[in-house]
Amino acid sequence: MAILVDKNTKVVVQGITGKEGSFHATQCKAYGTQVVAGVTPGKAGQEVEGIPVFNTVEDAVKETGANCSLIFVPAPFAADAIVEALDSGIELVVCITEGIPVKDMMMVKDYMKKNYPDAKLVGPNCPGLITPGEAKVGIMPGHIFKRGNIGIVSRSGTLTYEAAYQLTRLGLGQSTAVGIGGDPVHGLSHRDVIEMFNEDPETEAILMIGEIGGTAEEEAAEFIEAHVDKPVFAYIAGITAPPGKRMGHAGAIIMGGKGTAKAKMEALEKAGAYVIDNPAKIGETVAKILGILEVAEEEKTCDTD
Amino acid sequence: MKLHEHQAKEIFSRYGIPVPEGKVAFSLKEAKQVAEELGEFPLVVKAQIHCGGRGKAGGVKIVKNMEELEQAVEGMLGKVLKTFQCPDGKPVNRVWIEKATAIDKEFYLSITLDRARSKPVLMASAAGGMEIEEIAKENPEAIIIEEIDPELGLMPYQARKLAFRLGLPVKDFSKMALTLYRIYTDLDASLVEINPLVLDKEGKIIALDAKLDVDDNALFRHKDIEEMEDESQISPLEVEAKKYGLNYIKLSGNIGCMVNGAGLAMATMDIIKLAGGEPANFLDVGGGANVEQIANAFRILMADEDVKAVFINIFGGILRCDRLAQGLVEAGKMVELSVPIVVRMEGTNVEEGKKILAESGMNFVNAEDMWDGARKAVELAGG
């Protein structure tokens, strides 16, 4: 099952002839994702590693049946690319691009809400998403993920890799890992993805990685408290971040005393989530609470005896 | 990006929002000229810094004659002004001088993004002069919020509604609010704020203060705004880092950090604290750190005299660990590394990477994982 993407997902890569686009389209394809098309205006008829290039997303959809778009278009043109994908009937848009103006994203999100309430946007400024063993629609290193029952949702790229790697090393696989991105205005929220994981029969536990800024983690906490019975683990980055400073991600900023890591941790703890304070112990904590690590250690003890 | 009050007032004025008549001065000589041009006293002298709380810190002075003006300007220009919001202070290199306003009542007005709704909101309050955060804490119902539809923009009825509720002249206030929204969208602002917005003794409304922050991501289409940046208001190392595409923020601790990715960089700061140390900075070298970038990052970290040890924490995904290790070794030859460097690498080709560091003959301390790295860095920094 997993969520959002699987082996049947057909991906069109917008901006495929660019450096990033061609590299990652090739990587996704090598992972086993069905990358059926690419789009770069004016470059129809070309191929990138055997992937046909079209002038418009509409053409790509008509010819290949693509239902998911992966966007690498530069920031000044990214909003246009997202809207093109939506208008061409794409149901899932994954936007990797970093640095899109907030106003552009605000207009896109508003347009999407009014015209395509069922379409989904992941990102922007995100690593994309992966259902291990089936489809990688993003820029993450595929080999650190392993198929299993833990759903990951995160605002950060490398921190997601860190967490996934810790889990994988302990034998804890993932159903799907979704990087929702670090921008203040973005598509799917923590809450949205947690809702999907909650309904996904394959997902047995959820790991949420948040960071300072905004109130998305608090909203997720409310949802968890009211609706989620599966174990939820949470790590929030930025407990040492000073207020008023933008910590790399445009969305990671504490303003007017709002959006602190402490407030988020408290809300999640109150909602019944397991809040992890040491980012090096994410895998270990999940394993211990799910009762997996103890078993493993006992086995080890038996062996040495 | 933040603008100074005088820059925001100049922009407001160009759009037709009434502001007190005034001008910026960079020297005492200019200040006296401005005073003469304005031709009357009392005047208000306001230190221009990127920080709130100036009034209480002596950064705003009302002067009744030329002598007082000279005193006030000399007390500000070239000095570092510390306010409760910026305890380390900001250098004052310019003052804004304006005609004093006879205030009847003070209000608050701003437009910013409401992240939860992904829409702009107009916020107004009759409790002007106070920080909006203070009002929100003490008296949240005193803040009136109007949600703005991004497609329609602020509608005149919304502005009228606020004017009626606040008891402000309806026509003037509506015009001001709608203009403020135009500035917000025209300039890709992340915040436009008038605090206080005053009703003067003649019944006119005036923007007594002005704040304008612009979305960094949108600066590519506002070159004129970008050129207005006053770099003296940012730490010199942050300015330097920006030139090399590095994301650097100076903090108060003694353990320098170099990390790939913003989330992991924050997590690294946190784990240093957890291990009993204090991070000296936030530094994100991005996803594809090359030799030049690493060398520049080293240079910036070594230039910070507070740094007693460095913790490099890299999760190699697309950026392979062997490439990173080569980068560290080469950069280490270019920059004198005067403090211990703890390296934690994980991910693609990590064994090759560790081998390269071990064989380099350079003094890199290997860490097994993030926790080990943080503890070693704290120990080497002297606790």
Side-chain angles (χ1 to χ4, degrees):
Chain A
M1 270 293 284
I3 64 165
L4 294 164
V5 294
D6 58 28
K7 57 182 186 304
N8 299 314
T9 305
K10 289 184 174 172
V11 179
V12 51
V13 176
Q14 289 177 258
I16 194 167
T17 53
K19 196 177 145 215
E20 295 269 303
S22 61
F23 176 76
H24 289 294
T26 312
Q27 294 280 317
C28 289
K29 196 180 167 191
Y31 188 79
T33 313
Q34 286 198 58
V35 182
V36 296
V39 169
T40 299
K43 299 210 170 159
Q46 293 187 8
E47 277 192 0
V48 172
E49 298 285 322
I51 305 162
V53 179
F54 297 88
N55 281 331
T56 65
V57 178
E58 193 181 9
D59 289 349
V61 169
K62 215 180 282 168
E63 295 298 320
T64 66
N67 58 6
C68 169
S69 163
L70 176 59
I71 298 178
F72 291 97
V73 172
F77 320 108
D80 181 45
I82 298 172
V83 173
E84 183 184 356
L86 293 168
D87 283 346
S88 308
I90 296 286
E91 294 146 10
L92 173 64
V93 182
V94 182
C95 186
I96 306 297
T97 310
E98 185 180 347
I100 304 177
V102 172
K103 184 168 77 181
D104 295 10
M105 279 316 300
M106 203 164 69
M107 299 308 287
V108 166
K109 201 164 176 193
D110 184 57
Y111 177 76
M112 204 172 158
K113 228 185 270 171
K114 287 169 180 164
N115 298 285
Y116 304 104
D118 295 329
K120 292 180 175 67
L121 171 68
V122 175
N125 189 13
C126 77
L129 68 167
I130 182 169
T131 294
E134 293 203 31
K136 169 173 115 98
V137 184
I139 60 172
M140 63 287 282
H143 65 89
I144 59 166
F145 294 86
K146 168 187 148 84
R147 190 56 179 270
N149 309 106
I150 297 175
I152 303 181
V153 55
S154 168
R155 261 162 81 178
S156 148
T158 42
L159 195 49
T160 311
Y161 310 164
E162 175 75 43
Y165 188 68
Q166 288 181 24
L167 292 174
T168 298
R169 274 215 300 201
L170 292 167
L172 288 162
Q174 304 90 40
S175 51
T176 303
V178 186
I180 57 173
D183 275 4
V185 176
H186 56 242
L188 292 181
S189 65
H190 275 303
R191 183 203 169 282
D192 297 333
V193 178
I194 288 171
E195 186 173 1
M196 288 179 214
F197 280 136
N198 197 39
E199 284 161 14
D200 171 40
E202 190 187 335
T203 303
E204 288 172 8
I206 300 163
L207 170 61
M208 165 180 163
I209 299 168
E211 61 189 36
I212 55 158
T215 53
E217 289 80 1
E218 285 87 336
E219 283 149 33
E222 270 175 42
F223 181 81
I224 292 165
E225 191 163 13
H227 302 286
V228 184
D229 290 326
K230 296 178 184 183
V232 178
F233 299 88
Y235 171 72
I236 308 291
I239 194 111
T240 48
K245 290 277 193 177
R246 168 176 153 160
M247 307 304 282
H249 287 155
I253 180 165
I254 297 168
M255 282 179 89
K258 273 202 159 173
T260 62
K262 196 166 162 271
K264 290 170 190 295
M265 288 175 175
E266 281 168 6
L268 285 157
E269 219 147 59
K270 192 177 150 273
Y274 299 98
V275 176
I276 302 165
D277 61 355
N278 186 336
K281 311 258 182 216
I282 296 173
E284 203 181 300
T285 311
V286 174
K288 270 188 187 149
I289 289 171
L290 293 182
I292 291 158
L293 197 64
E294 272 172 20
V295 176
E297 273 173 358
E298 273 167 26
E299 277 173 9
K300 221 166 146 190
T301 327
C302 290
D303 284 345
T304 42
D305 282 345
Chain B
M1 184 195 133
K2 287 181 176 165
L3 291 177
H4 279 301
E5 173 196 4
H6 77 90
Q7 295 164 327
K9 276 186 169 162
E10 282 153 14
I11 291 168
F12 280 18
S13 174
R14 226 183 299 143
Y15 271 82
I17 290 181
V19 298
E21 196 184 332
K23 224 172 164 184
V24 67
F26 290 84
S27 63
L28 182 59
K29 198 177 149 215
E30 279 181 27
K32 288 202 276 195
Q33 270 170 13
V34 170
E36 269 163 30
E37 276 173 45
L38 293 173
E40 62 175 53
F41 283 97
L43 291 171
V44 185
V45 182
K46 302 178 86 177
Q48 300 295 293
I49 53 166
H50 287 182
C51 198
R54 288 174 301 173
K56 285 176 201 141
V60 180
K61 291 254 158 76
I62 298 174
V63 296
K64 290 195 272 313
N65 52 48
M66 209 46 118
E67 202 181 318
E68 285 185 17
L69 177 115
E70 275 180 42
Q71 261 178 14
V73 173
E74 279 183 325
M76 293 180 195
L77 279 181
K79 305 281 185 335
V80 171
L81 185 61
K82 293 180 183 172
T83 78
F84 69 96
Q85 284 188 22
C86 305
D88 294 338
K90 298 272 184 194
V92 184
N93 56 35
R94 55 187 92 176
V95 292
W96 168 258
I97 301 166
E98 68 182 19
K99 289 185 181 173
T101 306
I103 300 169
D104 184 21
K105 276 184 189 152
E106 293 186 304
F107 301 85
Y108 173 94
L109 181 66
S110 75
I111 301 170
T112 188
L113 169 76
D114 181 339
R115 290 171 59 160
R117 298 183 175 110
S118 297
K119 280 178 182 174
V121 285
L122 182 73
M123 291 194 281
S125 169
M130 279 168 83
E131 295 288 323
I132 192 74
E133 293 84 18
E134 286 174 63
I135 312 173
K137 217 188 281 168
E138 284 163 26
N139 194 8
E141 58 277 17
I143 303 171
I144 313 167
I145 295 177
E146 279 295 316
E147 201 177 299
I148 301 168
D149 183 295
E151 205 180 340
L152 292 173
L154 180 68
M155 297 305 280
Y157 89 87
Q158 294 179 294
R160 281 199 304 272
K161 200 163 87 181
L162 286 184
F164 285 123
R165 283 187 60 181
L166 294 171
L168 283 165
V170 176
K171 219 175 131 195
D172 289 350
F173 178 79
S174 300
K175 194 176 160 225
M176 182 186 267
L178 290 166
T179 309
L180 197 64
Y181 184 69
R182 226 172 69 224
I183 296 171
Y184 176 80
T185 55
D186 280 5
L187 301 186
D188 277 284
S190 46
L191 172 73
V192 281
E193 187 183 75
I194 302 176
N195 187 26
L197 159 68
V198 305
L199 186 65
D200 72 6
K201 297 263 170 63
E202 292 165 23
K204 284 199 217 118
I205 52 168
I206 300 165
L208 202 61
D209 200 355
K211 199 169 171 189
L212 178 54
D213 293 352
V214 177
D215 177 10
D216 291 319
N217 287 353
L219 286 175
F220 70 86
R221 55 190 178 207
H222 301 288
K223 290 288 173 216
D224 51 334
I225 300 279
E226 199 173 12
E227 281 165 15
M228 291 165 83
E229 172 136 60
D230 178 4
E231 289 188 341
S232 75
Q233 300 297 305
I234 314 164
S235 112
L237 290 176
E238 287 176 27
V239 176
E240 179 88 0
K242 213 165 131 187
K243 265 188 240 158
Y244 301 115
L246 299 166
N247 233 316
Y248 172 87
I249 292 165
K250 170 96 178 81
L251 301 170
S252 56
N254 62 4
I255 298 170
C257 315
M258 191 195 302
V259 190
N260 65 331
L264 192 60
M266 270 188 273
T268 305
M269 288 161 38
D270 295 349
I271 204 167
I272 287 171
K273 177 102 180 171
L274 214 55
E278 289 287 342
N281 64 281
F282 167 94
L283 175 59
D284 173 12
V285 293
N290 54 32
V291 177
E292 200 195 341
Q293 256 187 325
I294 295 168
N296 285 322
F298 269 144
R299 220 169 269 137
I300 286 160
L301 290 181
M302 294 305 140
D304 180 353
E305 285 171 5
D306 298 335
V307 170
K308 298 288 176 265
V310 169
F311 179 21
I312 299 176
N313 184 15
I314 303 286
F315 196 97
I318 304 302
L319 169 69
R320 297 183 342 232
C321 291
D322 53 332
R323 288 274 301 279
L324 173 88
Q326 277 162 5
L328 287 176
V329 172
E330 278 172 54
K333 287 176 193 156
M334 291 155 73
V335 183
E336 196 200 336
L337 304 178
S338 45
V339 299
I341 313 269
V342 180
V343 184
R344 180 269 176 157
M345 281 190 296
E346 197 52 85
T348 316
N349 293 1
V350 60
E351 291 313 320
E352 290 93 318
K354 282 186 178 168
K355 206 170 147 216
I356 292 169
L357 289 188
E359 287 170 358
S360 70
M362 295 170 87
N363 198 13
F364 291 113
V365 180
N366 176 51
E368 284 313 312
D369 59 26
M370 252 171 109
W371 187 224
D372 184 40
R375 282 191 298 192
K376 280 181 175 153
V378 171
E379 198 190 306
L380 289 165

